[in-house]
């Protein structure tokens, strides 16, 4: 997409800890302004992009602040951390959870029990485990297929050339409501290299959508985190996963959650 001049990249590691409702509201407003500006550069509407605040490492008392600031959907990488928070915050019945990190199949039962969305579906074993547990819970789950757009061996996700065959298997799992694709781009200061990951995803999504099986929707593109979500929006992201720019820099290193990545 053609992109006009924009401001210098924002470094999420410079964001101080948001320890009040007002601070979280201020950061949310700043992120939404950046989303709107990125959309304007490429002729998109801001309402085409869903902001998913990522609350990994954020303690429960600050999640309550985020709830008071208007957050109703939060992303978590680790299933057990998300489950603990879900149980501790069960007095907030309209707070929903998106699992955005790799799933070990023995934890599928937890995801099936409480999550509203799973953004890291990357194989038949995970699909089978989730389908089986969702049947027990009598629930359905929104899912995104994770793609390794950077080609890094440390990353989870299907290779781009594997996604078509995998998508054709997904009608066999009727409790998985396929919404689109997800990726983590290359973690690099070279914006051109990062952008190539997002362009690849958009082109892959558009190609797959032409002959997607019945019941499989590929409308969504979840891509872009605190350090690169504006570039992702310029290339078609419909969901951006933003943590540090909302809640503040994390004490734990990025590698604890994403191999070679931030969020």
């Amino acid at each position: 997409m053609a992109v006009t001049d924009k401001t210098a990249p924002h470094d999420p590691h410079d964001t101080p800890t948001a320890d009040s409702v007002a601070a979280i509201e201020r950061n949310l407003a700043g992120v939404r302004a950046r989303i709107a500006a990125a959309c304007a550069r490429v002729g998109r509407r801001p309402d085409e992009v869903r902001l998913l605040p990522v609350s990994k490492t954020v303690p429960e008392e600050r999640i309550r602040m985020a709830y008071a600031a208007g957050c109703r959907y939060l992303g978590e990488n680790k299933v057990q951390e998300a489950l603990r928070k879900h149980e501790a915050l069960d007095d907030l019945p309209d707070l929903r959870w998106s699992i955005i990190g790799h799933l070990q199949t023995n934890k599928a039962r937890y995801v099936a029990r409480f999550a509203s969305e799973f953004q890291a579906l990357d194989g038949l074993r995970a699909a089978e485990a989730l389908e089986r547990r969702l049947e027990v819970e009598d629930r359905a789950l929104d899912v995104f297929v994770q793609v390794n757009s950077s080609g890094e061996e440390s990353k989870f996700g299907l290779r781009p050339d594997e996604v078509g065959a995998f998508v054709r298997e997904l009608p066999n799992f009727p409790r998985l409501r396929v919404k689109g694709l997800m990726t983590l781009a290359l973690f690099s200061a070279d914006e051109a290299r990062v952008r190539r990951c997002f362009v690849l995803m958009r082109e892959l999504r558009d190609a797959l959508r032409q002959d997607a099986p019945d019941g499989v929707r590929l409308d969504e593109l979840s891509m872009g985190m605190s350090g690169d979500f504006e570039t992702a929006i310029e290339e078609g992201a419909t969901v951006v996963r933003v943590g540090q720019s909302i809640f503040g820099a994390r004490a734990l290193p990025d590698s604890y959650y994403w191999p070679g990545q931030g969020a």
Side-chain angles (χ1 to χ4, degrees):
M1 296 184 180
V3 181
T4 57
D5 292 342
K6 60 181 179 180
T7 58
H10 173 81
D11 185 353
H13 299 91
D14 292 338
T15 306
T17 299
D19 56 5
S20 68
V21 175
I24 293 174
E25 287 176 334
R26 185 166 55 249
N27 288 349
L28 284 167
V31 170
R32 290 184 178 122
R34 292 164 59 196
I35 289 172
C39 287
R41 287 193 289 272
V42 292
R44 300 182 64 193
R45 301 190 316 273
D47 63 5
E48 296 175 4
V49 180
R50 170 163 64 102
L51 171 60
L52 177 62
V54 176
S55 54
K56 64 191 182 192
T57 78
V58 177
E60 291 145 19
E61 61 269 21
R62 290 175 61 216
I63 291 179
R64 290 186 181 276
M65 295 175 190
Y67 182 88
C71 296
R72 294 296 183 271
Y73 217 139
L74 296 174
E76 288 280 342
N77 282 72
K78 293 183 177 293
V79 174
Q80 287 176 300
E81 180 179 348
L83 178 62
R84 184 183 70 246
K85 291 175 178 177
H86 164 72
E87 292 174 344
L89 300 167
D90 66 355
D91 58 313
L92 306 177
D94 58 341
L95 182 59
R96 297 192 292 167
W97 300 93
S98 175
I99 304 302
I100 60 176
H102 180 70
L103 178 68
Q104 296 174 310
T105 54
N106 64 349
K107 295 177 182 174
R109 64 188 185 276
Y110 302 126
V111 174
R113 184 182 307 163
F114 78 92
S116 296
E117 183 176 81
F118 176 55
Q119 290 205 11
L121 185 64
D122 63 356
L124 289 176
R125 286 188 64 215
E128 291 164 353
L130 285 168
E131 181 76 13
R132 195 161 52 243
R133 298 307 306 186
L134 288 164
E135 288 177 357
V136 172
E137 300 288 341
D138 193 23
R139 297 184 70 227
L141 183 68
D142 291 346
V143 299
F144 288 63
V145 175
Q146 184 173 0
V147 182
N148 185 346
S149 60
S150 67
E152 296 168 280
E153 291 185 4
S154 62
K155 294 272 184 67
F156 292 108
L158 297 165
R159 296 195 316 266
D161 62 356
E162 297 174 322
V163 179
F166 180 63
V167 165
R168 287 191 290 274
E169 295 288 339
L170 292 178
N172 296 318
F173 308 99
R175 292 183 182 270
L176 302 182
R177 298 184 300 221
V178 184
K179 299 299 182 181
L181 307 178
M182 180 273 252
T183 200
L184 289 78
L186 183 73
F187 187 56
S188 171
D190 186 341
E191 185 183 334
R193 296 177 66 200
V194 174
R195 187 180 296 274
R196 281 199 291 273
C197 295
F198 298 141
V199 171
L200 182 153
M201 290 294 294
R202 185 185 72 244
E203 294 176 345
L204 178 64
R205 188 275 312 269
D206 291 350
L208 293 172
R209 195 160 50 175
Q210 293 180 16
D211 58 356
D214 291 343
V216 173
R217 296 183 60 187
L218 294 172
D219 298 329
E220 304 288 336
L221 278 178
S222 175
M223 57 188 196
M225 299 185 291
S226 284
D228 60 14
F229 72 81
E230 290 150 301
T231 303
I233 289 169
E234 291 166 357
E235 298 303 337
T238 65
V239 182
V240 292
R241 310 179 304 273
V242 180
Q244 295 185 92
S245 291
I246 295 171
F247 294 105
R250 291 186 298 272
L252 290 171
D254 297 335
S255 58
Y256 180 72
Y257 285 94
W258 301 116
Q261 288 285 334

